[in-house]
Amino acid sequence: DGGITQSPKYLFRKEGQNVTLSCEQNLNHDAMYWYRQDPGQGLRLIYYSQIVNDFQKGDIAEGYSVSREKKESFPLTVTSAQKNPTAFYLCASSIGSFSGANVLTFGAGSRLTVL
Amino acid sequence: EDQVTQSPEALRLQEGESSSLNCSYTVSGLRGLFWYRQDPGKGPEFLFTLYSAGEEKEKERLKATLTKKESFLHITAPKPEDSATYLCAVQPPRGGSNYKLTFGKGTLLTVNP
C-alpha cells in the first residue's frame, strides 16, 4: 500500500543536540511538507518542497533545516538553534498542483521530546 | 493574514445525538476548504474538499457544507468510533502560494456510548 513513513515515532533529545526526522513516501507525489503540531494550536508549516532539489521556508522555519535530494525523501533536521523543539512533527505529501486543490496525505507523526 | 477559526473547541455528544462543527474563515476567493480527521497520536486523515459556496459532500455519518464565510461538518447519529479531532484547512486564492494551507486549531469530538 502507498503511504508515508515517518521515523522514529518517538525521539528524545538533549539540549544542544541536532536530530533528524525521516520521512519517506511511495505515492509518487511531487510535493512534500513538514508541519509542527503543539497542543491547542493549529498545524504550522515548517518547510515545503514542490520538487526535487528545491524547498521553501514555511511560517516557522527558524531552527530547522531540510533537504530534498530524492523525490521519495524529505528529512527534517531540528537544530540546537530551535529554542522550543518539543512537539509532534507531521510529514505530508501531495500530488502538487499550481492551480488545483492541494490534498495532503499525512504520515503517522514523530514525537520529539527535549530532556 | 488568513484566519481559520473552528468552534467549539470541544464537543461531547451521546451516541445518536446529531450535531455540527463550525469552521469560519476570512480568506477571500477561497480556492479550497479541507476537512481532516485526526485520532490521538496519529496523523490527520483526509475527509473532504469543498470548492464553492453551496457545495455539499457526504461520507457515512458525515456531511460537509460550505458558504462564503464558513463550513459546517454535520454529524448524524454519531457513534463512539467517530470520536476524534476534526481539523479544517483553507487553501489561499490564486496569487497566494498553493502549497501553504492555513489550519484551524480543531474541534475535539467525544461520543459517549
Side-chain angles (χ1 to χ4, degrees), chain B residues 74-110:
Chain B
H74 306 278
I75 303 175
T76 302
K79 298 181 178 182
E81 52 262 43
D82 294 321
S83 297
T85 295
Y86 290 86
L87 303 174
C88 170
V90 299
Q91 184 169 342
R94 296 183 189 281
S97 171
N98 193 47
Y99 297 85
K100 298 181 72 173
L101 304 187
T102 300
F103 281 83
K105 295 181 180 180
T107 294
L108 174 61
L109 174 66
T110 304

Side-chain angles (χ1 to χ4, degrees), chain B residues 4-25:
Chain B
V4 178
T5 303
Q6 291 189 245
S7 62
E9 291 184 11
L11 180 63
R12 189 177 295 272
L13 301 174
Q14 287 298 122
E15 184 173 1
E17 179 186 2
S18 301
S19 188
S20 298
L21 313 182
N22 178 264
C23 172
S24 63
Y25 57 91

